[in-house]
Amino acid sequence: MTHWFHRNPLKATAPVTFSLYGVATNSASAKICNDLRIARARLLEFLVDVTCKPDMMKKATDDYFSLLQGFITSLDGTTQENKLRFIQNFKWTDTLHGNIASAQQDAIFELVSMGFNIGLWYTKYASRLSGKEDQTSRLVTQPEKGTDLDSRVIETYIVQCQAEAQEVTIARAIELKHKADLIAALANETAIFYQKADHTLTSLDPAYITKWRKYLQLKNCFYLAYAYCYHGQTLLANDKCGEAIRSLQEAEKFYTKAEVLCKEYGQTKGPGTTAKPSEHLFFRKLGSLVKNTLEKCQRENGFIYFQKVPPEAPQLELKASYGLVEPQKFELPSLDSQWSPEVYSAFDITKGLKDDKVKDAKEEELKPMKEPDLKPHKDTGCVIC
């Protein structure tokens, strides 16, 4: 995790008791409130528990979201907004903005914020192993620029996940000694993913996203170096030694640029853990491969081919025919069986809540989530699990 993947911190949140005294008018409605409190607390504990596995996370997520949907889904047989949606206040930080909290008295804000954190947990879990209706569009208070619910931030996380999942495909292809042209195509597609993720952040405040962008840029250059390296091997196999040399020179250029970006990334202040790709075996092995392959091409050109080296690098018009990563759609769990029209009617919002109104969240700081500090035991490069 500390070597290869950059990870922004988890979102922090204020405790929520769901103490709807006076609103929950019978034992069934009171039990739901208590179960919501317990389920939320358990889910938050799992987010920072190093022993938590995906099956545990899914169950905890389903338990909480199935209960929370009773505050969102219409239960009275009408098209009216759920009367409980705006009854409880929720406070969350953003992954890029430090410990300053945002608050909304909206159950959908809680749903998308917690869902965002869970998605980020899965990326962190994956690094340790080395859809439905867009709910954000229903928010009464639209996300501010650069917050976690900004569509550009969400899109960047999604594309970065696709790129990193594709890295596993590349490592697997190299391990199984697939053809060079396939590896070059996969690397090129991965570089495009990272470039897309970087470009998605360009319109956001540099104070928050410069470090993240440096990571995306260095990964883009690294996989371009991979693509040109393996494309050069393909050209050499087709007796195009001059073009192969030029392709390897381009690989060398991007690898050097990736090394520079690694240093800049490490020196740039910003949220999240600082990855160290240049110390990773997978990174170092590419440098040796580029150097050795280029020297081989130059030797063979001097003894056999005697071809001119083109002034322009070959175009990487490469498309991977298979192996591309497709994201799976997230499905919300079904409504918890405790919810029924009768239980829903037992909540009397006319009683109101006087002690939990939205305060000025900009003046409030929340303690960050205490994440486990995991160190890699042995750096052996990418591991296929």
Side-chain angles (χ1 to χ4, degrees), residues 42 46 63 84 92 101 130 145 165 194 235 258 266 288 296 302 317:
R42 183 187 299 118
F46 278 171
D63 288 347
L84 300 175
W92 286 90
S130 321
K145 181 179 179 180
Y194 277 115
L235 291 169
S288 299
K296 176 185 177 182
E317 297 178 353

Side-chain angles (χ1 to χ4, degrees), residues 262-286:
C262 280
K263 293 179 182 178
E264 293 178 356
Y265 164 72
Q267 295 168 355
T268 302
K269 293 183 179 180
T273 56
T274 299
K276 301 176 182 177
S278 60
E279 297 181 12
H280 199 286
L281 179 61
F282 196 58
F283 190 99
R284 300 197 304 270
K285 286 175 68 175
L286 176 59

Side-chain angles (χ1 to χ4, degrees), residues 47-273:
L47 285 170
V48 294
D49 184 353
V50 70
T51 65
C52 182
K53 298 295 189 293
D55 57 339
M56 299 164 61
M57 179 58 67
K58 185 178 188 308
K59 184 179 186 307
T61 301
D62 288 351
D63 288 347
Y64 181 53
F65 280 179
S66 63
L67 286 165
L68 186 64
Q69 282 195 76
F71 280 55
I72 299 170
T73 305
S74 177
L75 295 173
D76 58 3
T78 71
T79 58
Q80 297 296 316
E81 194 71 68
N82 187 305
K83 66 183 180 182
L84 300 175
R85 176 179 165 183
F86 307 108
I87 200 71
Q88 179 70 59
N89 188 34
F90 302 95
K91 299 171 185 175
W92 286 90
T93 63
D94 291 288
T95 58
L96 303 179
H97 295 180
N99 299 328
I100 303 301
S102 299
Q104 289 194 36
Q105 199 150 320
D106 189 344
I108 288 182
F109 178 67
E110 166 74 356
L111 177 68
V112 295
S113 297
M114 185 69 83
F116 188 101
N117 233 18
I118 293 163
L120 194 55
W121 178 88
Y122 277 104
T123 72
K124 290 171 179 283
Y125 180 81
S127 71
R128 294 201 298 268
L129 294 178
S130 321
K132 287 277 185 178
E133 179 186 6
D134 180 8
Q135 297 286 353
T136 60
S137 64
R138 291 182 60 192
L139 288 170
V140 173
T141 304
Q142 289 302 302
E144 294 184 18
K145 181 179 179 180
T147 62
D148 286 338
L149 303 186
D150 184 318
S151 60
R152 290 161 295 187
V153 174
I154 293 175
E155 177 66 14
T156 303
Y157 276 113
I158 291 172
V159 177
Q160 180 178 332
C161 287
Q162 289 179 275
E164 290 177 353
Q166 190 120 306
E167 291 189 62
V168 178
T169 305
I170 295 172
R172 183 67 171 167
I174 294 170
E175 179 184 308
L176 296 178
K177 301 185 185 305
H178 283 304
K179 292 182 179 180
D181 59 347
L182 171 62
I183 296 172
L186 287 170
N188 185 50
E189 295 280 0
T190 304
I192 292 171
F193 273 135
Y194 277 115
Q195 183 182 54
K196 179 182 178 182
D198 177 45
H199 285 178
T200 305
L201 294 175
T202 54
S203 59
L204 297 178
D205 188 343
Y208 300 120
I209 48 82
T210 297
K211 185 180 184 69
W212 195 6
R213 288 195 64 194
K214 289 289 184 183
Y215 168 75
L216 299 171
Q217 290 164 7
L218 75 87
K219 283 294 192 79
N220 168 254
C221 288
F222 177 79
Y223 281 103
L224 281 175
Y226 241 115
Y228 276 110
C229 179
Y230 278 88
H231 186 51
Q233 292 183 19
T234 301
L235 291 169
L236 180 61
N238 292 327
D239 297 324
K240 297 178 180 179
C241 193
E243 294 180 42
I245 291 173
R246 187 64 187 86
S247 187
L248 267 297
Q249 289 174 340
E250 198 71 5
E252 191 175 50
K253 182 188 79 173
F254 278 109
Y255 185 80
T256 300
K257 188 174 180 181
E259 287 183 309
V260 172
L261 283 165
C262 280
K263 293 179 182 178
E264 293 178 356
Y265 164 72
Q267 295 168 355
T268 302
K269 293 183 179 180
T273 56

